[in-house]
Every structure is written in structure tokens, then in C-alpha cells.
Amino acid sequence: MSHILLVEDDPEINRLLTDFLTENGYQVTSLFNGLHVQDCLAREKIDLVLLDIMLPYRNGDRVLADIRRQYTLPIIIISARETTQNKIDLLRLGADDYITKPFDMEEVLARIESSLRRIQFQSAVPKRLQYKNLIFDGEKNTVFLNGQELLLTAKELAILELLMRYPDKIFSKANLFQSVWNTEYLNEDNTLNVHISNLRNKMKALCPDEEYIDTVWGIGYRLHKAED
């Protein structure tokens, strides 16, 4: 049984989500503010976080940043803010997905299932992958660059694993998006580009002189191919 941490200050929404997810076979721990999220994550084995942004005492974007400093588990934002820039900012902070209020319960369930499936798939293929000084440990779901651990979101980890597992393949944006998010790719959706940019920035911070992901213009992305 997967364990979901729900952080939502609206009592009615919190109750509805808790009841619905429990009925669908999930264990749910509910919080109503952002103060005790870290304590809960340290105490409980949480598989996924559903996180509201407009929280009392400690705002959701700060909670998101706090979680990402220590954990790679999937985080799905639920928020009434629906501007494209706000979504991009939260994705850059480390969110894996974003659901806008008001939402459909079945959509929430589908997005949770998709995120957890990706984690289960990664766990089911324990294999060590290496490219230059970049090492992916599929058994522990960790990535090391120059001997230092890269702290990646679940989606960033999934993207990097696909690129490293198939180093000679050029992934179209649609193919990469559908493989990682398990949903239809829309041309105007900037989600994938943001995650690729985050990946590059994190790797460049540890190894500024190396390239790891190539943009194949007009097609998509691939693992960096050195010039002959």
C-alpha cells in the first residue's frame, strides 16, 4: 500500500481527498499547514507528497524547496494559481507535476498512479549505468557526478535514466514526455524543457566543463555525443 502525505489547509478539500484516496487503496497522512512536513517525512515512509501552495505558517513553495534538499520522492502540486510562469517556477523548484484547482478527483488519482508507476519501474530495473563521470545506480535510485550525489526529482531521474539507458537513441520531445509522464504530449507544454534545463543546471554546477545532454534541433534530446 503506497503512503501519501497530503498537505492541504482547506478542511473540506483535505477530507475529500483523504476519503477518496483511502477508498482507492492508499494510506494517507493529512497535514493542514507547512510546519511539520519535514518531521512527518523523517518519521514515516512516504511514497508521494500532494502539496498545496497557499499554506498557513509556512508557504508551499518553501516546503517544496525544503523537501527537495533531502528527498527525491514525487511531489505533485495542487494549487489555485494557474499562470504558466507560476507552474514553471514550481517545476524549477523541484515539483514533478501540477494540478490546478478546482480539479477532478479521477485526474488526481491518474497523476498519482503515473508518478508511482514510474518509481516502481525504476525500482524493478536495478542496473548501474555510467557515462563519463556520471553514474546512475538503479538499485538505489541515486546519481553521482564526479563522486558527488546529484539530488534530482523523480521526473529528472526518470529522464536521465532513459537517456543513459539508450545512449544512441534520439528521443523526440513527445516520446520522452510520454515515457516519463505517461500522458499525451502537447506542443505548447513547456514542462519537459524546464526539467531538461534543471537537469543541465544541476550537472553544470558540479561539472561545468562537460556536456551530458544534447538538444537535437527540430527533434528532441539525446545523451551527449562527442564530436568525431
Side-chain angles (χ1 to χ4, degrees), residues 141-204:
N141 267 352
T142 54
V143 176
F144 288 86
L145 179 59
N146 271 351
Q148 298 184 61
E149 184 173 1
L150 271 177
L151 192 57
L152 304 178
T153 70
K155 290 293 192 292
E156 291 165 1
L157 194 68
I159 292 168
L160 186 59
E161 180 188 359
L162 273 176
L163 295 176
M164 292 182 70
R165 195 169 294 283
Y166 305 100
D168 297 321
K169 178 179 173 62
I170 298 174
F171 287 88
S172 69
K173 290 185 177 181
N175 182 235
L176 197 53
F177 185 89
Q178 289 164 3
S179 297
V180 173
W181 275 266
N182 197 35
T183 189
E184 182 182 2
Y185 174 73
L186 302 175
N187 285 332
E188 65 272 16
D189 194 328
N190 199 40
T191 302
L192 177 61
N193 294 339
V194 170
H195 279 75
I196 293 287
S197 176
N198 288 346
L199 257 176
R200 283 172 165 158
N201 289 337
K202 289 178 180 181
M203 290 188 285
K204 191 168 286 295

